[in-house]
Amino acid sequence: MKLNKLGEFGIIKRIYQKSKDKNVLVGIGDDAAVLKIGKKLAVITTDTLVEGDHFNLSYFTPEQIGMKAIEINVSDIVSMGATPKYALVSLALQKNMNVKFIDNLYKGMRKAASKYGVEIIGGNLTHAKQIIIDVDVIGFVNKQNLCLRSSAKPGDFILVSGDLGASTAGLNLFLKKNKGHDYVKKKHLEPKANPHKIKSFLKYINAMEDVSDGLASEIQHICEQSNVGAIIYADNIPIRDETRKAAKAVNKNALDYALYGGEDFELVFTVNEKNLNKVKGYLIGEITKNRDIKIYQKGKEKLLKKHGYDHFA
Amino acid sequence: MKLNKLGEFGIIKRIYQKSKDKNVLVGIGDDAAVLKIGKKLAVITTDTLVEGDHFNLSYFTPEQIGMKAIEINVSDIVSMGATPKYALVSLALQKNMNVKFIDNLYKGMRKAASKYGVEIIGGNLTHAKQIIIDVDVIGFVNKQNLCLRSSAKPGDFILVSGDLGASTAGLNLFLKKNKGHDYVKKKHLEPKANPHKIKSFLKYINAMEDVSDGLASEIQHICEQSNVGAIIYADNIPIRDETRKAAKAVNKNALDYALYGGEDFELVFTVNEKNLNKVKGYLIGEITKNRDIKIYQKGKEKLLKKHGYDHFA
C-alpha cells in the first residue's frame, strides 16, 4: 500500500506506541511532547517547512520564511498551554544559494523568536536539493495550565480564538496569480502564533489545539483522543469579509477554507459551560458523548466526512 | 557571495550569537546544546539525513536508514558525556512511497533506540521530493561528566576511541560499485554510537567530540573553541587493514579517509597527562599552546590546511 492511500492520520496511527516511561506525560499524537524533568514540565515540538510545499520563494521573502518557521512551532507550544523558551534550527540549503538568504532567514527567525522571549540555542546545517527548515521549540508549562487534545468532555463548548480561512484564501490567490486582497495574502505570508488570546484564562480550558490543518481536522483530533464527538455550528465560524471576497474571486467557498484549509494558527479549545463567561473566543460548537462529528449549517445537520489538509492525500 | 564560498564553518560563524540566558550552558557551536532545567542538565541535539547525501536507497535498506538516523544523534549526545533518553522524529516522505518503507524505517529507529534506552516520544510528518529524516535526541548529564569542545588544555593528549576511515572507504566502494570489502561497507551502512568505549572514565576527559566529519575537522573545532593548537601524529591514527585495502582498490589513501572523510562516529577526546593511565584509546596527538594545527608524519611536520567534510564546499 502507498502512503497516499493510508493518509497522514493512518500513518501516525501505524507508528504510534504508548510510552511506558512515567516521565513522558504526553508522547506521539499531540502538538508537542510533554516531559517531566526534575520538578519542571518541559514541552517539546518539531515542525518542518519544505520549499514548494510550506513556502514558495516566488512570493515569500527569506525573512518571512524565517518568521513562519518560528511562529508555527511557537504555536504548537502555545496550544499546549505552555510558554516557549528555546529553539533549535536544522537547515538544509542548496550549495549555490546566496549568503544573503541565510542572513535574512535568520533575521526573520530572530525577529519572531524575540517577540516571545525565545532564543535560538543550536541546530544543524546540511545541503539538499530543496530548502528544508526544521525547527524544534522547547517550552515549559505549569501542570494546571496543560491543555491536551485528550481533555475534552461531553457538554464542553468549542471556541476558536480568531477568524479562519484567510491563510488558505491567500495561498489560492498566489497560486492563481490574482492581484490585490492584501489582508488574506499577508495572513498566508506572515502567520502569527496567538498566545495573548488565551493566556489569561488557560486554567479554564480543557482541550486545545492550534488550527494548522483546518478546523475539521483539529476537532477530529480532539474527538479521537478524548473519545467524544462534536457538533460544529458552521454559521458561527468566524470568517472575515476579506476572506469571503478572496474565495469568491477564485470561485471557492470560504467555509471550505476554514474547515479544510490550514495554517490559520488560531487556537481551538473546549470549555465547560460553567466557565464560558471566563474565556474569550467565538463559540462554534459543542462536544457530544455520541462519537460522530456533525456539522449544523442553515438549519441542516450532516456528518463530517472530509478531513482537513492531509500531507499525503 | 554563495554559500559554497563561505563553507560550513563560515556559515556557522556568521549565524553564531552568544547566549545571554544563564540557563543555556552551551549554545550554538557544540555537538549539542546544554540547558539547565531545574536541577537537571539536559542535552539536546538535532541532525538531518537527506536522501542522496547521507544515504542512498540503492544500497541502504530502510531499516539501516532508521538505525543510522538514531545512531548519529545518540553519538552527538554521547560526545557531550551525556546519556540519551528521548527522541523526536521529523519525517518528510514522498507521497507515492510504500507503507513498508515507513514500517521498516521505524523498525530500524526503534531497534537502535532501544539499545540505548531511548524512546521515540513525538515528531512531525510531511511530504517532500527527497526523503528527509530529522531526529532530535534529548539526554541528561552530570555536570562533572560534561565534555565540551572548549575544554581542551595545552599539554592534553588527544585520543580516539577506535579505528577511522572505514565508513568513507565503504562509501567510495559503493559509489564505484566495487564488490567485496564487507567490513568497510558495513561500517558505512550501519554506523554505531560508542558510549561504552568512554563511559567508565568520563570524568577524566577534558574536551570531546564525535568523528562525524573527519578527524581533522573535529580537532580543528576543539582547537578553535578551546583557543589552542594541536599536533596530530598521523602514523598513530588507527586504521584497519581492511580500510587500507579498500582505499587501495579505488586508488585512494586511507589516511585521507581518516582525516578528511567522515561518519566514523568514534570519539576523539583530550586528557591531561596525569590521567592518561585512567583512560582507554589510541593516542594520536597533543594539544599545544601555539594555535597552529600540525600533522607529524614519517618524520616530517606540516601545517594542517585541509578541513574535514564540508557540506557546502
Side-chain angles (χ1 to χ4, degrees):
Chain A
M1 190 171 32
K2 305 282 186 190
L3 292 184
N4 53 5
K5 281 269 173 194
L6 200 57
E8 198 174 336
F9 224 68
I11 300 170
I12 290 170
K13 268 194 182 169
R14 204 171 169 105
I15 61 178
Y16 178 79
Q17 272 190 352
K18 196 173 156 55
S19 174
K20 286 167 195 159
D21 185 328
K22 67 176 174 34
N23 290 319
V24 179
L25 272 70
V26 180
I28 295 171
D30 215 311
D31 288 307
V34 183
L35 287 179
K36 196 166 177 290
I37 300 180
K39 289 180 177 173
K40 295 230 178 189
L41 286 188
V43 181
I44 306 165
T45 189
T46 177
D47 219 338
T48 308
L49 292 183
V50 181
E51 182 190 356
D53 180 19
H54 299 94
F55 63 88
N56 194 310
L57 290 174
S58 66
Y59 43 86
F60 271 90
T61 67
E63 197 178 328
Q64 283 171 331
I65 297 165
M67 283 161 54
K68 183 173 174 179
I70 295 294
E71 295 281 356
I72 64 173
N73 278 284
V74 164
S75 182
D76 277 330
I77 296 289
V78 165
S79 74
M80 305 294 288
T83 305
K85 191 80 186 140
Y86 304 111
L88 279 88
V89 177
S90 229
L91 286 181
L93 301 174
Q94 292 134 335
K95 288 185 190 187
N96 63 350
M97 290 180 74
N98 202 293
V99 174
K100 271 198 179 163
F101 178 87
I102 203 170
D103 286 346
N104 287 321
L105 184 79
Y106 262 81
K107 191 179 164 192
M109 287 198 290
R110 290 207 163 104
K111 193 169 158 183
S114 69
K115 282 198 309 176
Y116 304 109
V118 168
E119 195 183 357
I120 299 168
I121 59 162
N124 187 63
L125 192 60
T126 191
H127 70 266
K129 286 178 220 152
Q130 281 172 289
I131 302 169
I132 299 143
I133 306 164
D134 188 273
V135 174
D136 311 314
V137 174
I138 301 154
F140 297 97
V141 66
N142 292 327
K143 200 167 182 182
Q144 69 270 26
N145 287 346
L146 191 60
C147 304
L148 305 182
R149 292 182 181 179
S150 57
S151 307
K153 302 274 177 299
D156 277 4
F157 285 107
I158 308 170
L159 294 94
V160 290
S161 62
D163 71 292
L164 300 179
S167 173
T168 307
L171 171 62
N172 278 279
L173 290 170
F174 279 121
L175 294 177
K176 303 252 175 187
K177 298 189 174 138
N178 278 37
K179 293 203 173 165
H181 301 280
D182 292 343
Y183 174 79
V184 296
K185 283 182 177 168
K186 197 170 176 191
K187 281 278 192 178
H188 183 69
L189 294 177
E190 299 183 12
K192 305 270 184 261
N194 291 293
H196 55 285
K197 292 188 180 171
I198 44 88
K199 206 175 175 183
S200 65
F201 51 80
L202 275 174
K203 64 178 171 180
Y204 299 113
I205 294 174
N206 287 340
M208 181 154 65
E209 193 169 345
D210 66 333
V211 184
S212 53
D213 294 336
L215 186 64
S217 170
E218 318 307 349
I219 288 180
Q220 203 195 10
H221 291 158
I222 288 173
C223 289
E224 282 251 349
Q225 297 207 17
S226 299
N227 297 313
V228 295
I231 180 155
I232 303 171
Y233 307 128
D235 302 323
N236 282 23
I237 296 173
I239 297 170
R240 300 251 307 212
D241 281 348
E242 290 92 330
T243 306
R244 293 188 197 280
K245 280 177 194 159
K248 214 175 166 186
V250 290
N251 294 314
K252 296 275 180 179
N253 183 341
L255 181 63
D256 283 347
Y257 286 165
L259 285 169
Y260 314 115
E263 303 211 324
D264 288 308
F265 300 106
E266 293 295 341
L267 296 149
V268 52
F269 54 95
T270 84
V271 176
N272 185 293
E273 191 181 355
K274 73 172 194 286
N275 292 324
L276 198 57
N277 63 343
K278 297 179 183 97
V279 306
K280 276 184 188 168
Y282 300 86
L283 199 159
I284 56 103
E286 275 176 63
I287 297 292
T288 60
K289 204 171 171 178
N290 180 313
R291 293 201 52 184
D292 290 335
I293 304 177
K294 291 171 186 162
I295 296 198
Y296 189 85
Q297 189 184 10
K298 291 177 185 162
K300 279 184 189 163
E301 195 176 87
K302 58 178 179 179
L303 221 54
L304 179 77
K305 280 183 190 148
K306 219 171 147 186
H307 300 177
Y309 180 75
D310 186 322
H311 289 95
F312 289 90
Chain B
M1 190 171 33
K2 303 284 185 190
L3 292 184
N4 53 4
K5 282 268 173 195
L6 198 57
E8 198 174 336
F9 224 67
I11 299 170
I12 291 169
K13 268 194 182 169
R14 204 171 169 105
I15 61 179
Y16 177 79
Q17 271 191 353
K18 197 173 156 52
S19 174
K20 285 167 196 160
D21 185 327
K22 69 175 172 34
N23 291 320
V24 179
L25 271 71
V26 180
I28 294 170
D30 214 310
D31 288 306
V34 183
L35 287 179
K36 196 164 177 289
I37 300 179
K39 287 180 178 174
K40 295 230 176 188
L41 286 189
V43 180
I44 306 164
T45 189
T46 177
D47 219 338
T48 309
L49 291 183
V50 181
E51 182 190 355
D53 179 20
H54 299 93
F55 63 88
N56 194 310
L57 290 174
S58 66
Y59 43 87
F60 272 89
T61 68
E63 197 178 329
Q64 284 171 328
I65 298 165
M67 283 161 54
K68 182 173 175 180
I70 296 294
E71 296 281 355
I72 64 173
N73 279 283
V74 164
S75 182
D76 277 330
I77 296 289
V78 165
S79 75
M80 305 295 287
T83 305
K85 192 79 187 139
Y86 305 111
L88 279 88
V89 177
S90 229
L91 285 181
L93 302 173
Q94 292 134 337
K95 288 185 191 187
N96 63 349
M97 290 180 75
N98 201 295
V99 174
K100 273 198 178 165
F101 178 87
I102 202 169
D103 286 346
N104 288 321
L105 184 79
Y106 262 81
K107 191 178 164 192
M109 287 198 290
R110 290 208 165 102
K111 194 169 158 183
S114 70
K115 282 199 307 176
Y116 305 108
V118 168
E119 196 184 355
I120 298 169
I121 59 162
N124 187 63
L125 193 60
T126 191
H127 70 266
K129 286 177 219 155
Q130 281 172 287
I131 303 169
I132 299 142
I133 306 165
D134 188 273
V135 174
D136 311 315
V137 174
I138 301 155
F140 297 97
V141 66
N142 293 326
K143 200 166 183 182
Q144 68 269 27
N145 287 346
L146 191 59
C147 305
L148 305 182
R149 292 182 181 181
S150 58
S151 306
K153 302 273 178 297
D156 278 3
F157 285 107
I158 307 171
L159 294 93
V160 291
S161 63
D163 71 291
L164 301 180
S167 173
T168 306
L171 171 63
N172 277 279
L173 290 170
F174 279 122
L175 293 177
K176 302 251 177 189
K177 296 186 175 143
N178 279 36
K179 293 203 173 166
H181 300 281
D182 292 343
Y183 175 79
V184 296
K185 281 182 178 169
K186 197 171 177 191
K187 280 280 194 178
H188 183 68
L189 294 176
E190 298 184 12
K192 305 269 183 262
N194 291 292
H196 55 286
K197 292 189 181 171
I198 44 88
K199 207 177 174 181
S200 64
F201 51 79
L202 275 174
K203 63 179 173 181
Y204 299 113
I205 294 175
N206 288 339
M208 182 153 66
E209 193 168 347
D210 66 331
V211 185
S212 53
D213 294 336
L215 186 64
S217 169
E218 317 308 349
I219 289 181
Q220 201 195 11
H221 290 158
I222 288 174
C223 289
E224 280 251 347
Q225 295 205 19
S226 299
N227 296 312
V228 295
I231 179 154
I232 304 171
Y233 306 129
D235 302 323
N236 284 23
I237 296 173
I239 298 170
R240 300 253 303 213
D241 282 347
E242 291 93 329
T243 306
R244 292 187 198 280
K245 280 177 194 158
K248 214 174 166 187
V250 292
N251 294 314
K252 296 276 180 177
N253 183 340
L255 180 63
D256 282 347
Y257 286 165
L259 285 169
Y260 314 115
E263 302 208 327
D264 289 307
F265 300 107
E266 293 293 341
L267 296 149
V268 53
F269 55 94
T270 83
V271 176
N272 186 293
E273 191 181 354
K274 73 172 196 287
N275 293 322
L276 198 58
N277 63 344
K278 299 180 182 95
V279 305
K280 277 183 188 167
Y282 301 86
L283 199 159
I284 55 104
E286 277 176 62
I287 296 292
T288 59
K289 204 170 171 177
N290 180 313
R291 293 201 52 184
D292 290 335
I293 304 178
K294 290 170 185 161
I295 296 198
Y296 189 85
Q297 191 183 8
K298 293 177 183 162
K300 279 183 190 163
E301 195 177 270
K302 59 178 180 181
L303 220 54
L304 178 78
K305 279 181 188 149
K306 218 169 148 187
H307 301 177
Y309 179 75
D310 186 323
H311 288 96
F312 288 91

